[in-house]
Amino acid sequence: MYLKELTINGFKSFARKGELEFNTPITAIVGPNGSGKSNVAEAFRFVLGEQSIKSMRGKRGEDLIFNGSASISRSNRASVAIKLLNPAKNGTRVFPLDFDEIVVERAVNRDGTNEYAINGSKTRLKDVQELLASANIGPTGHHIISQGEADRILSASPKERREMIEDALGLKVFQFKKAESERKLKKTRENIAQVESLRREVAPHLKFLERQIKKIERSLALQEELKGVYAEYLKREDTYIAFHHDRFTKEREAPVARREELGTLLTEAKNKLKTREKDDTRDGLVALEKKMSEARHKRQESVRLVGQLEGQILFLKRQITEKQKKRDAEEDTPIPRIEVKKVAEFIEHTASQALTSGDVKVISRAVSDIVRAVKVLLTHTFKGEDDGLPGLESELTTLEKEREHIEKEAEHIHTEEEKLSREYDDIKKAVESEHAESWEAEREIFAIMNEQREVEKTIDTIDRELTMLERDRQEFKSELQEAVSLLGRSAGMYFEHIVLDGEGKPVVVDTLVSEDRTLQRNRKHELERMKIRLEELGVGSNEDVVKEYNEVRERDEFLVHEITDLTDSVAKLEALITELTNDLNEQFVSGIEKIGTEFNNFFILMFGGGGAELLRVKPKVAKKEVDEDGSEPSALEEDAEEESEEGIEIDVKLPNKKVRGLDMLSGGERALTSIALIFAMSQVNPPLFVILDETDAALDEANSRRYGDMISALAEKSQLILITHNRETMGRAGVLYGVTMAGDGVSKLLSVKFDEAVAVAK
Ligand code: ATP
C-alpha cells in the first residue's frame, strides 16, 4: 500500500480543506448523487498532473476552483495534495527520491496558473510527471476509471487502445524517453543542418583564403629560396667585385707610375732635343764653310793669277832670251845715272806708298808701275836702237815679283784655308756627333712614346675592366637594394651566409672568384625568374589574410567539431531510440500476451465461459482517408501513419452464444468485458492504486458479486479506491468515506459505517 492520503482544498465543491486517509487495500467512497464523489476522483487526476481540463469536466483551470455558493464565497485557489509512501525494497525505492514519504501537490489559481511541489519544494510539471511515471502512474490515468469511462477502452480505436495498454504496461516512461530522444534527435538534426549551412556559407570564403594562404606559403618558400640564391649571388658578386677591383687597382699602379715616369722621361728627351736644336754650331759651321769657300775662292784666284803670271813670265822670258841672244850679239849700252836715279826714286816712292796702303791691289798696281818704269828706263838707255829688252826684263821682274807676292798670298790663304778646314773638320765632327746624339734622343722619344702607347693601352684595358666592374658594382647595388626591399633587411646580411663547398667547408675567396662567371650569370637569371614568379603570386599584406584565415578556419573547425559532436549525439540518440523501440516492442508484445491471457481469464470468470483475446492488428489506412483536404500526405503524416500502424483489436466470444465481437454485446456485457480488460491490464503491471468511479453501475446482482470477487483479487496487487453505489462493492471495502453536500453546496467528507454507507448511498 503506497497511497496514504489525499488532501483537497478549494477544489471544485470541496470549499474547505478535507482529508482522505487510505489505510486499507480497498476504500469505498459513497454518497448521494451530486454530492461530489467524482470530484474526488478528479482531485486524484488533478494532483497527478492531468492537463486535460475537459477530462476533469471543466473548460478552464478556473472551473476547478470552488466557485462559491449562496452562503459561501468562492475560493481563489484550488489545491490537492497526495501523500505516497516510498519504502525501500532491496535498496531501491519506488520513487527515485530519498524520502520515505512523497507529497505531491498541485494548485491552480484563478488566473489559470498552476503550481507544483514535491515534498514542499516547488517544481515543474515535468518533474512531477517523471516522478510518477517512475512508479507507473501515467498521465493517461489508466488507473483512474472515471464514471462511464470503463466502456472507453472498448469504444476506442485500435491505436488509442494500444496507447492505453502501453500506459498500463508502464511503457509510458520509455515512451517519454523515446519521444524526448526523438525530439532531441530532430532538434539535433536541425542543428546539424543549421551548422552545415553555416559551413556552406563560409566555405567559399574559406577556400578563397586557403588558396591565398597556399599562395602565401608558396611565396614565403619562394622568398626563402630567393634569399638563399640572393645570398649566394650577392656574396659571390661582392667578393668578385672587391677582389677584381683590388686586383685591377693594384695592376694599374705600375703602368700609371710608369706613365708618369715616361712623361718625365719624354719631357727630358724632348728638352734635350730642343737644346741641341738651339745650338749655333750649325751656324758656325755654315759661316766657316762660307769663309772656307771664300778662302778657296781667293786661293783659286791666286792660283789662276799665278798661272796667268807664269804664262806672262814664260812669254816674257822667252822674249828676253831671244833679245838677250840678240843683244849678246850686240854691245852692251850704259844707262845714264840720272835716269837710273830717277827710276829708283820712282820705285822707292811707289813701293813705299803701296806698302803703306797695305792693299794687295794697290801693291799689285804699284808692282806693275814699278816694272813698267824699270822697263822704260831700260828702253831709254838704248839711245841708239831700242830693242825693248830692258822693258821686258823690267816687266818680267815685276811679274815675277807679282807672282811671288801672289804665291805668298796664296800660301797664306792656303794656310788660312787649312786652318779653316781643320776648324771646319772639328766643328763638323762636333756637329756630326751632335747629330748622332739628337738621333739618339729622338729614338729615345720614339721608344718612350711607344712605351707610353703600350702603357696607355694597358691602363685602358685595366680601366675598361674597372669600368665594367663599376657597372657590375652598380648592378650589384641595385640588386642588393631590390633584395632588401623584396625580402627585408635580412636579405642584405648575405655575409652571414658563408659559402660552403661540396664538403661543407667555407669556400675561400680565391675559389669563389675563380668560379666561371657564367655560373653567376645563371644565378642572376635564376633570380630574375624567381622574382617574376614571386610577382605572379602577387600576395599583398600577409598578416591580415593569415589572421582572417585563422579566424575563419578556427570557426570552420569549431563548426566541424560541432557537427561531429552533433553527429555523435545523433548516433547515440538513434541507438537509444532503437533500443527503446526494441524494448518497447518487446515489452509491449510480451505485455499484450500477458494481458490477453488475464483478459481471457477474467472474461471467463465474468461470463462463466466463452473467451476473449487481444489481437495485434495493422490497419491499412488509405492516404485519402488521412488527407481529408485531398492534399498529398507530408512526410510527417506518413510517419504518423506508420506509428498508427499497429493497434489492438478485441475479440470476445460469449458462452452459449453464436455471436462474436464487441458489437453484439449488451450494455451489461460490455461493462463486464471492459472491466475484465481493465482488471487484466491492472493485473499484469499492477498500478500503485486504482480508482474506479461507478464502474459497477450497470451490473446486476449476480455480476456484482463476480465484480466483487475480482475487486478482491485485484486488491491484492493494487490499492483500490472505489466510488460506488453498489452494496456488494461497499461490502468489499475496509474503509468507507461518505461525501455529503448540504444546502451550502459544499462537499464534506466523513468516515461512515457500512450500514450508514448503504443508507447514504441511497
Ligand atoms: P453522482 O452520484 O450523481 O455521480 P457525484 O457525487 O459524483 O454525483 P459530483 O459529480 O462529484 O457528484 O459533484 C457534482 C457537484 O459538484 C455538483 O453539484 C456541482 O455543482 C459541484 N461542483 C462542480 N464544480 C464546482 C465548483 N467549481 N464549485 C462549486 N461546486 C462545484
Side-chain angles (χ1 to χ4, degrees):
M1 292 197 295
Y2 298 95
L3 183 62
K4 192 93 172 75
E5 223 172 85
L6 185 79
T7 309
I8 313 177
N9 193 359
F11 186 82
K12 287 205 163 181
S13 54
F14 291 91
R16 294 198 190 85
K17 188 172 172 181
E19 279 174 15
L20 289 169
E21 278 192 31
F22 307 100
N23 295 321
T24 52
I26 302 173
T27 305
I29 297 171
V30 299
N33 290 133
S35 60
K37 299 186 293 301
S38 292
N39 290 344
V40 175
E42 277 149 15
F44 270 103
R45 278 192 193 280
F46 176 75
V47 75
L48 297 178
E50 178 63 68
Q51 292 303 296
S52 163
I53 305 290
K54 201 177 144 204
S55 74
M56 295 180 284
R57 294 181 296 166
K59 282 186 184 123
R60 297 162 295 159
E62 213 182 1
D63 297 338
L64 302 178
I65 304 168
F66 178 69
N67 209 22
S69 64
S71 54
I72 295 174
S73 61
R74 64 177 195 170
S75 306
N76 285 322
R77 191 170 191 267
S79 75
V80 179
I82 186 170
K83 188 189 274 181
L84 298 154
L85 293 179
N86 189 26
K89 266 188 203 161
N90 305 325
T92 37
R93 291 184 187 268
V94 181
F95 300 99
L97 285 179
D98 202 18
F99 292 102
D100 292 334
E101 286 183 349
I102 304 289
V103 177
V104 176
E105 189 176 357
R106 178 183 177 182
V108 63
N109 299 300
R110 284 250 167 235
D111 60 5
T113 55
N114 284 273
E115 289 159 24
Y116 300 90
I118 294 172
N119 284 3
S121 299
K122 273 194 174 182
T123 183
R124 295 172 302 169
L125 166 65
K126 193 167 166 276
D127 301 322
V128 172
Q129 284 175 334
E130 271 178 19
L131 180 73
L132 295 173
S134 67
N136 194 27
I137 305 172
T140 55
H142 66 276
H143 53 299
I144 302 172
I145 310 297
S146 300
Q147 202 174 352
E149 208 193 31
D151 191 56
R152 199 170 60 129
I153 196 151
L154 299 188
S155 57
S157 72
K159 187 192 160 208
E160 286 168 341
R161 206 174 285 132
R162 177 193 155 124
E163 277 171 17
M164 287 178 197
I165 289 168
E166 278 172 350
D167 199 2
L169 286 169
L171 301 181
K172 266 289 154 210
V173 67
F174 296 104
Q175 276 172 336
F176 264 143
K177 277 187 191 162
K178 188 182 165 184
E180 178 77 4
S181 300
E182 276 166 344
R183 199 184 53 74
K184 274 188 192 159
L185 182 64
K186 194 178 162 213
K187 186 81 198 146
T188 309
R189 282 190 173 135
E190 277 168 14
N191 283 347
I192 289 177
Q194 217 171 344
V195 176
E196 273 172 348
S197 127
L198 282 177
R199 264 200 91 195
R200 269 198 302 279
E201 250 171 57
V202 85
H205 190 49
L206 183 62
K207 253 193 195 128
F208 168 78
L209 288 171
E210 264 168 6
R211 279 200 298 275
Q212 291 298 102
I213 289 298
K214 281 222 175 86
K215 266 190 182 178
I216 288 168
E217 278 167 1
R218 277 211 300 279
S219 171
L220 286 176
L222 195 57
Q223 278 178 35
E224 210 42 49
E225 209 185 318
L226 185 61
K227 211 180 264 182
V229 179
Y230 251 130
E232 185 81 15
Y233 172 81
L234 291 172
K235 157 101 182 159
R236 282 179 184 275
E237 194 65 6
D238 196 3
T239 310
Y240 173 87
I241 291 167
F243 176 82
H244 285 289
H245 186 267
D246 282 359
R247 183 168 73 84
F248 286 128
T249 310
K250 218 164 266 163
E251 266 181 29
R252 201 175 181 276
E253 276 169 11
V256 166
R258 185 62 189 153
R259 184 170 63 179
E260 205 94 324
E261 231 169 70
L262 288 172
T264 314
L265 285 175
L266 189 65
T267 314
E268 274 172 21
K270 275 185 177 165
N271 283 343
K272 217 195 269 172
L273 200 61
K274 266 187 205 149
T275 318
R276 294 263 180 276
E277 278 167 356
K278 263 188 215 157
D279 210 297
D280 47 11
T281 313
R282 214 171 278 268
D283 297 344
L285 207 59
V286 172
L288 209 55
E289 266 174 355
K290 203 175 156 196
K291 265 188 197 163
M292 280 166 74
S293 153
E294 274 170 11
R296 196 167 52 245
H297 199 68
K298 248 186 210 168
R299 187 172 50 81
Q300 281 166 350
E301 187 64 28
S302 299
V303 168
R304 199 181 51 82
L305 271 174
V306 168
Q308 206 178 354
L309 283 172
E310 278 187 339
Q312 284 173 358
I313 288 166
L314 205 61
F315 179 71
L316 277 175
K317 272 185 179 166
R318 246 181 275 148
Q319 275 187 342
I320 289 168
T321 309
E322 276 170 22
K323 290 216 184 204
Q324 254 350 47
K325 276 171 188 171
K326 215 176 162 184
R327 221 177 228 201
D328 280 345
E330 295 170 9
E331 352 165 292
D332 199 18
T333 325
I335 304 162
R337 224 184 138 145
I338 186 110
E339 281 187 26
V340 174
K341 199 187 167 186
K342 270 192 217 171
V343 170
E345 278 173 5
F346 171 73
I347 292 169
E348 213 174 354
H349 176 71
T350 305
S352 154
Q353 266 189 335
L355 286 169
T356 310
S357 81
D359 190 345
V360 176
K361 281 175 183 170
V362 173
I363 293 168
S364 168
R365 210 165 39 243
V367 169
S368 299
D369 287 350
I370 290 167
V371 166
R372 217 166 23 248
V374 169
K375 272 177 184 176
V376 167
L377 179 65
L378 285 167
T379 314
H380 187 74
T381 59
F382 292 103
K383 279 179 204 167
E385 202 184 318
D386 191 2
D387 61 358
L389 187 61
L392 286 175
E393 281 176 346
S394 159
E395 200 174 346
L396 181 67
T397 308
T398 307
L399 286 175
E400 278 181 341
K401 270 188 185 164
E402 197 172 342
R403 188 189 65 180
E404 199 181 336
H405 174 72
I406 289 168
E407 273 178 352
K408 264 189 190 154
E409 210 177 56
E411 209 171 305
H412 176 71
I413 290 168
H414 182 68
T415 314
E416 192 72 10
E417 237 184 332
E418 276 185 341
K419 200 181 117 201
L420 282 171
S421 176
R422 265 198 311 281
E423 208 176 308
Y424 180 83
D425 277 355
D426 282 355
I427 291 173
K428 196 162 180 212
K429 251 183 219 156
V431 166
E432 268 171 7
S433 102
E434 268 170 32
H435 260 297
E437 264 180 54
S438 297
W439 194 72
E440 188 65 33
E442 270 170 13
R443 223 177 43 190
E444 204 180 309
I445 287 168
F446 282 133
I448 290 169
M449 279 159 71
N450 260 342
E451 201 184 336
Q452 267 182 331
R453 267 199 299 281
E454 288 304 316
V455 167
E456 289 296 347
K457 225 195 280 175
T458 310
I459 292 173
D460 275 358
T461 311
I462 293 173
D463 282 352
R464 259 203 308 280
E465 293 286 353
L466 280 169
T467 310
M468 261 152 66
L469 217 54
E470 186 55 36
R471 217 179 45 209
D472 284 353
R473 193 205 297 282
Q474 291 308 328
E475 223 166 283
F476 164 77
K477 268 194 198 162
S478 70
E479 205 61 71
L480 180 58
Q481 260 170 13
E482 203 177 343
V484 170
S485 80
L486 264 176
L487 306 169
R489 247 184 317 167
S490 67
M493 315 295 265
Y494 55 91
F495 263 99
E496 286 174 0
H497 297 257
I498 297 163
V499 181
L500 301 173
D501 64 11
E503 288 169 2
K505 289 180 194 148
V507 172
V508 289
V509 172
D510 282 355
T511 325
L512 214 65
V513 296
S514 67
E515 181 195 72
D516 190 348
R517 196 71 176 135
T518 49
L519 289 174
Q520 188 71 336
R521 270 200 290 278
N522 291 345
R523 266 180 216 116
K524 184 131 168 48
H525 288 150
E526 180 61 20
L527 283 177
E528 295 311 317
R529 275 198 294 276
M530 288 168 91
K531 276 189 267 181
I532 289 168
R533 260 160 61 205
L534 203 60
E535 203 174 319
E536 277 169 356
L537 284 173
V539 201
S541 69
N542 297 351
E543 269 174 38
D544 290 351
V545 178
V546 172
K547 190 165 165 260
E548 198 183 348
Y549 170 70
N550 283 337
E551 278 168 12
V552 175
R553 198 202 51 205
E554 265 167 38
R555 182 163 155 67
D556 189 59
E557 275 168 5
F558 170 76
L559 292 177
V560 170
H561 191 72
E562 276 291 272
I563 290 173
T564 314
D565 281 1
L566 289 169
T567 312
D568 272 6
S569 299
V570 165
K572 275 181 197 150
L573 285 168
E574 278 173 344
L576 180 64
I577 289 165
T578 310
E579 196 189 308
L580 286 170
T581 309
N582 290 342
D583 276 6
L584 276 169
N585 277 339
E586 228 171 78
Q587 290 192 37
F588 178 69
V589 170
S590 69
I592 283 291
E593 261 173 46
K594 282 179 197 160
I595 292 171
T597 311
E598 290 296 323
F599 181 36
N600 192 45
N601 291 342
F602 277 119
F603 190 85
I604 292 169
L605 194 69
M606 286 281 197
F607 291 95
E613 60 181 327
L614 294 178
L615 304 166
R616 281 160 56 205
V617 292
K618 286 188 181 177
K620 291 248 154 68
V621 184
K623 276 177 188 174
K624 275 194 179 163
E625 281 176 32
V626 174
D627 300 307
E628 281 161 18
D629 58 356
S631 68
E632 284 294 305
S634 70
L636 266 173
E637 282 169 338
E638 272 180 330
D639 280 350
E641 205 179 310
E642 284 216 345
E643 273 196 3
S644 74
E645 253 181 28
E646 193 167 75
I648 300 297
E649 205 60 84
I650 299 167
D651 190 31
V652 289
K653 192 181 167 293
L654 293 173
N656 308 318
K657 285 189 180 170
K658 277 195 174 172
V659 288
R660 285 186 84 104
L662 294 175
D663 296 344
M664 303 300 146
L665 299 176
S666 73
E669 286 165 346
R670 254 182 101 82
L672 281 176
T673 305
S674 66
I675 288 162
L677 183 51
I678 286 164
F679 282 15
M681 277 157 65
S682 300
Q683 200 65 9
V684 169
N685 185 31
L688 298 185
F689 54 91
V690 177
I691 298 162
L692 299 170
D693 188 354
E694 295 187 44
T695 315
D696 50 9
L699 305 182
D700 59 21
E701 229 178 286
N703 281 334
S704 289
R705 242 191 334 274
R706 284 188 186 126
Y707 178 81
D709 291 343
M710 284 195 291
I711 291 281
S712 298
L714 203 60
E716 279 169 24
K717 292 186 174 169
S718 298
Q719 226 174 326
L720 299 179
I721 293 108
L722 308 171
I723 297 167
T724 187
H725 292 283
N726 192 305
R727 190 190 153 86
E728 179 64 39
T729 307
M730 287 181 212
R732 308 276 174 168
V735 171
L736 289 157
Y737 284 106
V739 181
T740 57
M741 186 182 276
D744 56 3
V746 175
S747 300
K748 284 189 191 75
L749 290 166
L750 60 152
S751 189
V752 292
K753 296 255 162 50
F754 178 73
D755 290 339
E756 291 169 341
V758 173
V760 166
K762 280 171 182 164

